[in-house]
Amino acid sequence: MEKDTTARLLDAAEYRMRRGGYNSVSFRDLASDTDIKSSSVHYHYPKKEDLGVALIDRYAERFFDALMVASSKAQTPKEKLYAFRKVYRGALYEDKAVCLCGLLGAEMAGLPPALVDGVTSFFEANVKWVSDALPDDLSKAEKYKRASTLVAAHQGAMMMANSSDDNKLFDTVTEFLISNTLGQD
Amino acid sequence: MEKDTTARLLDAAEYRMRRGGYNSVSFRDLASDTDIKSSSVHYHYPKKEDLGVALIDRYAERFFDALMVASSKAQTPKEKLYAFRKVYRGALYEDKAVCLCGLLGAEMAGLPPALVDGVTSFFEANVKWVSDALPDDLSKAEKYKRASTLVAAHQGAMMMANSSDDNKLFDTVTEFLISNTLGQD
DNA sequence: GATCCCCTATCTATTGATAGATTAAAGCTT
DNA sequence: AAGCTTTAATCTATCAATAGATAGGGGATC
């Protein structure tokens, strides 16, 4: 089965947005990417904001789906955190781009209001997932602290790897941090 | 002495760019911010790329100046890293925005070539500074690893604090990481 | 008088967005 | 089955607004 138009539009929009940001995506670019006219893009997503919301929704859903798959056999906290890392790593290596929400999170103040919530929840859900992956005996506050640190470092490492064109930086940082964060009780 | 036009232009451009990214800044916006005409903005910065380069240069210079000041009395690695943190923290709390290079680093693929180098060097210099601040007895590789992690986490924490409108997240993450990174030999 | 700085005026390209025609398929009615 | 209606998805054509950029004029200062 072929991909329908909305899927192809979202693919094109995600590709562009994860490289140049929200304002680097235009309806005409998407139109030429998908071989339709820009007015037809508006048929699927009347406002750019609508497109943005759909993009974030799809991205988040795909991210957490991938996270479930990657962590399905994980038992220990360590295994779960490596699953988390693996999903981030895939986004960087396979898509050759930073996290959509990481980029939009930086541009937050310039985004239409409807997008802000999606980005915020993405990170909340990230932190929650990592918190739940950490050892049970840690306090809630301690879990929050470590989970936030892990998510922040993954995002930062992604951005730095991207901007220095050196993906190994991501590997180095996240590997170090996971072993280190778990290394002490 | 009043600020000259270029300084006011860079102020306005930095304000906007650190909130909405490179493509959210327009010559007309800057013109109205500084009460001149957009053609006069072109007098100072003929191309947008020129403006971008000047912005990054000034930002980097100011950053490392602030770092020198903040670390002038620092003796121990721990004190130096807290100075590093303090400068990042100031950028977040006082400017109420993310790091210019952090945002541009994410948008890298959509930037004019001339800007790319500036952003890359900013991070290289960051990592180098932190490396030099770490204890002497660590290997070069170990220093690189920890320095990259610290810089990445500061950037990521800044972005997450910004996008969740909760600056304390930055404090929590960076405090945890500095004490933790130094805590083990 | 040359230089610096800003102006008016204008150009072309691109932006997000809309109106209205067209086409084809799907569903109903008789 | 044939004819009619509706819906979905695309098109052409066009807007007004905004983008980056340039040409050339005017006043101030050195």
Side-chain angles (χ1 to χ4, degrees), chain B residues 4-65:
Chain B
D4 64 12
T5 307
T6 61
R8 296 192 307 136
L9 280 173
L10 291 177
D11 286 347
E14 183 181 323
Y15 184 92
R16 299 193 105 101
M17 207 173 284
R18 284 175 69 183
R19 281 162 185 82
Y22 185 75
N23 291 311
S24 76
V25 177
S26 82
F27 281 78
R28 281 173 180 79
D29 288 338
L30 301 181
S32 90
D33 289 344
T34 54
D35 286 309
I36 61 175
K37 298 296 167 182
S38 75
S39 55
S40 302
V41 181
H42 280 282
Y43 170 78
H44 296 279
Y45 300 103
K47 314 272 173 187
K48 193 175 179 181
E49 200 169 333
D50 301 326
L51 172 69
V53 169
L55 245 190
I56 294 175
D57 285 352
R58 189 184 75 157
Y59 187 84
E61 192 182 332
R62 208 180 53 208
F63 176 85
F64 287 104
D65 283 353

Side-chain angles (χ1 to χ4, degrees), chain A residues 19 107-108 162-163 180 184, chain B residues 19 107-108 163 180 184:
Chain A
R19 280 161 185 83
E107 288 180 335
M108 206 66 134
N162 178 253
S163 73
N180 192 269
Q184 65 166 28
Chain B
R19 281 162 185 82
E107 288 180 336
M108 206 64 132
S163 74
N180 193 269
Q184 66 165 29

Side-chain angles (χ1 to χ4, degrees), chain A residues 50-64:
Chain A
D50 301 325
L51 172 69
V53 169
L55 246 191
I56 295 175
D57 285 352
R58 190 185 72 156
Y59 187 85
E61 192 182 331
R62 208 181 51 209
F63 177 85
F64 286 103

Side-chain angles (χ1 to χ4, degrees), chain B residues 147-162:
Chain B
S148 300
T149 302
L150 274 162
V151 176
H154 275 76
Q155 287 289 335
M158 216 171 180
M159 181 275 286
M160 281 180 68
N162 178 252

Side-chain angles (χ1 to χ4, degrees), chain A residues 19 24 103 105-108 110 120 123 144-145 149 151-152 155-157 159-160 162-163 172 176-177 180 184, chain B residues 19 23-24 103 105-108 110 120 123 144-145 149 151-152 156-157 159-160 162-163 169 172 176-177 180 184:
Chain A
R19 280 161 185 83
S24 76
L103 208 168
E107 288 180 335
M108 206 66 134
T120 307
F123 288 121
Y144 172 76
K145 196 193 290 185
T149 301
V151 175
Q155 286 289 334
M159 182 274 289
M160 282 180 68
N162 178 253
S163 73
T172 307
F176 171 65
L177 202 53
N180 192 269
Q184 65 166 28
Chain B
R19 281 162 185 82
N23 291 311
S24 76
L103 207 167
E107 288 180 336
M108 206 64 132
T120 308
F123 288 122
Y144 173 76
K145 195 194 291 186
T149 302
V151 176
M159 181 275 286
M160 281 180 68
N162 178 252
S163 74
L169 189 146
T172 307
F176 170 67
L177 202 52
N180 193 269
Q184 66 165 29

